[in-house]
Amino acid sequence: MPIGSGLFVTFEGGEGAGKSTQIRLLADALRERGHTVLTTREPGGSPGAEAVRHVLLSGAAQEFGVRMEAILFAAARSDHVEEVIRPALMKGLVVICDRFMDSSRVYQGVTGNLDPAFIEALERVAVNGVVPDCTIVFDLPAAMGLERVRRRAGGTALSAGEVAGLDRFEQEEIETHEKRREAFLDIAAADPARCHVVDASVAASDIAGAVLAIVEPLLPAMSNGLDAEPRA
Ligand code: TYD
């Protein structure tokens, strides 16, 4: 159900998929077309949610268990939705969010082993009707994503042979990433009207083209924001 006259787009996928670069490219392309765009991210995106982000990503909540973490992600999401996302959609903006409810389904639900009914209940409360109009799922082999994350962190890149020879913990990490990848693909398969899978292993310019081709047809159905005039 659309909220206001805006368009709500979320980007999902594992780490190292290049979401932030692509969000920037999509926002630029839409602004060039005269749309008013708000880019935001989770966990965070509002002052209250940013405070919770710190608790979550610092690992401070980890010792209290995955259930507690899931509730904190939901609390942050609720604040973000009510303070930032819903008001922006009501004003007719295009809202692009780096991760949203599908990340909780995958990270806390699937790899966190939480009961799907519990995750669903939290999701219902947190999103309160603000479901994305379009979710772009960035798909990438786990080893490739992990390597990109490593390179970004300044570590040495791995050759294909080294990837095959990862130690037990690294291998476990790959397995977890692969599980998440499958879970994102399952979500996309179950909700094809909302979710679009994009191959994130190709060149950034090709990914940007694929993303724009998905989002562009959804734009005419909305007004072009408050301060933007559609270009002739
Ligand atoms: P972030 O530094 O924003 O990384 P990324 O570039 O991967 O988005 O970290 C967000 C982390 O939080 C990421 O590991 C996924 C996790 N996360 C969840 O576990 N559940 C959630 O609901 C969300 C939104 C994120």
Side-chain angles (χ1 to χ4, degrees), residues 15 19 42-43 53 57 73 77 99 103-104 107-108:
E15 275 112 271
K19 286 184 280 95
E42 289 212 346
R53 175 185 175 91
L57 297 194
F73 274 112
R77 181 158 304 128
R99 296 193 182 281
S103 282
S104 283
Y107 284 77
Q108 282 67 54

Side-chain angles (χ1 to χ4, degrees), residues 28-169:
D28 288 349
L30 297 184
R31 287 185 183 120
E32 266 174 33
R33 283 160 176 74
H35 292 275
T36 308
V37 180
L38 175 78
T39 60
T40 185
R41 65 158 182 198
E42 289 212 346
S46 63
E50 287 292 329
V52 178
R53 175 185 175 91
H54 177 71
V55 173
L56 282 164
L57 297 194
S58 67
Q62 208 172 354
E63 63 175 301
F64 305 119
V66 66
R67 217 178 135 85
M68 174 74 153
E69 285 185 308
I71 294 170
L72 288 173
F73 274 112
R77 181 158 304 128
S78 168
D79 193 70
H80 187 207
V81 163
E82 302 306 343
E83 297 298 320
V84 174
I85 300 174
R86 189 193 305 276
L89 294 173
M90 294 304 291
K91 286 187 203 159
L93 271 59
V94 179
V95 177
I96 308 175
C97 190
D98 189 346
R99 296 193 182 281
F100 194 61
M101 62 188 201
D102 300 307
S103 282
S104 283
R105 290 187 190 178
V106 170
Y107 284 77
Q108 282 67 54
V110 176
T111 50
N113 286 317
L114 286 181
D115 178 4
F118 178 68
I119 291 289
E120 269 172 46
L122 284 180
E123 179 180 299
R124 232 184 349 265
V125 171
V127 310
N128 195 17
V130 180
V131 174
D133 299 298
C134 170
T135 296
I136 315 258
V137 175
F138 274 28
D139 186 47
L140 189 73
M144 205 183 265
L146 208 57
E147 178 170 355
R148 283 195 195 164
V149 169
R150 245 183 238 185
R151 233 187 276 164
R152 210 185 292 155
T156 44
L158 300 175
S159 69
E162 282 172 318
V163 169
L166 292 174
D167 71 27
R168 184 169 75 80
F169 294 103

